[in-house]
Amino acid sequence: MFLRLAEQHRQFVQDLVMNLQALATVLEQRGYLASCYTCGGQLNSASFMVSLGENHLIRFLVSDYGITWTEMRDDRELMKLEGAEAISQLQELANLVKYQIKPSDYRLAALQAS
């Protein structure tokens, strides 16, 4: 049973890394500064970053050890989430792509929500 769970977890991490790579590519095409770096060819970890405007940065890390979402503004950490909460926040970011929100529009919406 545990070997099966370990393999499912590895597969989950690989799928998540591939999706992060695709998201970074699409975000770049939409005008965001975004990147996704992986170590090795096995896709067992990734560091994803995107700039949402002036001094507003999102960092998403995934590996066998865990998943974290960190949001920073002006070099200060605003929010740090782990696990399922981090993945939910990633879905919000993916919605930017899905609904074709431009970086400047996102900044305006974020400011209005504050």
Side-chain angles (χ1 to χ4, degrees), residues 63-81:
S63 73
D64 281 341
Y65 302 109
I67 297 167
T68 59
W69 164 283
T70 307
E71 187 168 354
M72 296 170 284
R73 189 180 292 269
D74 298 321
D75 294 326
R76 288 187 311 228
E77 190 175 290
L78 298 175
M79 175 172 44
K80 186 168 189 170
L81 303 171

Side-chain angles (χ1 to χ4, degrees), residues 22-53:
L23 181 59
T25 299
V26 173
L27 283 168
E28 281 185 319
Q29 292 170 349
R30 299 276 166 86
Y32 291 88
L33 296 174
S35 64
C36 183
Y37 297 100
T38 62
C39 297
Q42 296 182 347
L43 302 177
N44 57 7
S45 65
S47 173
F48 170 89
M49 295 178 79
V50 61
S51 173
L52 298 178

Side-chain angles (χ1 to χ4, degrees), residues 6-112:
E7 183 55 36
Q8 286 176 343
H9 179 73
R10 274 191 286 281
Q11 198 63 48
F12 167 77
V13 169
Q14 288 176 349
D15 289 348
L16 186 53
V17 170
M18 285 191 302
N19 282 293
L20 287 171
Q21 291 173 321
L23 181 59
T25 299
V26 173
L27 283 168
E28 281 185 319
Q29 292 170 349
R30 299 276 166 86
Y32 291 88
L33 296 174
S35 64
C36 183
Y37 297 100
T38 62
C39 297
Q42 296 182 347
L43 302 177
N44 57 7
S45 65
S47 173
F48 170 89
M49 295 178 79
V50 61
S51 173
L52 298 178
E54 292 181 33
N55 300 319
H56 190 187
L57 183 68
I58 303 295
R59 184 178 67 214
F60 189 88
L61 301 173
V62 61
S63 73
D64 281 341
Y65 302 109
I67 297 167
T68 59
W69 164 283
T70 307
E71 187 168 354
M72 296 170 284
R73 189 180 292 269
D74 298 321
D75 294 326
R76 288 187 311 228
E77 190 175 290
L78 298 175
M79 175 172 44
K80 186 168 189 170
L81 303 171
E82 296 180 348
E85 290 177 334
I87 294 171
S88 293
Q89 230 15 68
L90 187 62
Q91 180 61 54
E92 292 295 319
L93 181 61
N95 287 340
L96 291 175
V97 175
K98 184 177 179 180
Y99 298 113
Q100 299 184 356
I101 298 171
K102 296 176 187 167
S104 57
D105 294 340
Y106 181 83
R107 283 194 298 270
L108 289 173
L111 288 173
Q112 292 171 351

Side-chain angles (χ1 to χ4, degrees), residues 1-8:
M1 175 178 92
F2 294 111
L3 292 176
R4 179 180 55 80
L5 290 173
E7 183 55 36
Q8 286 176 343

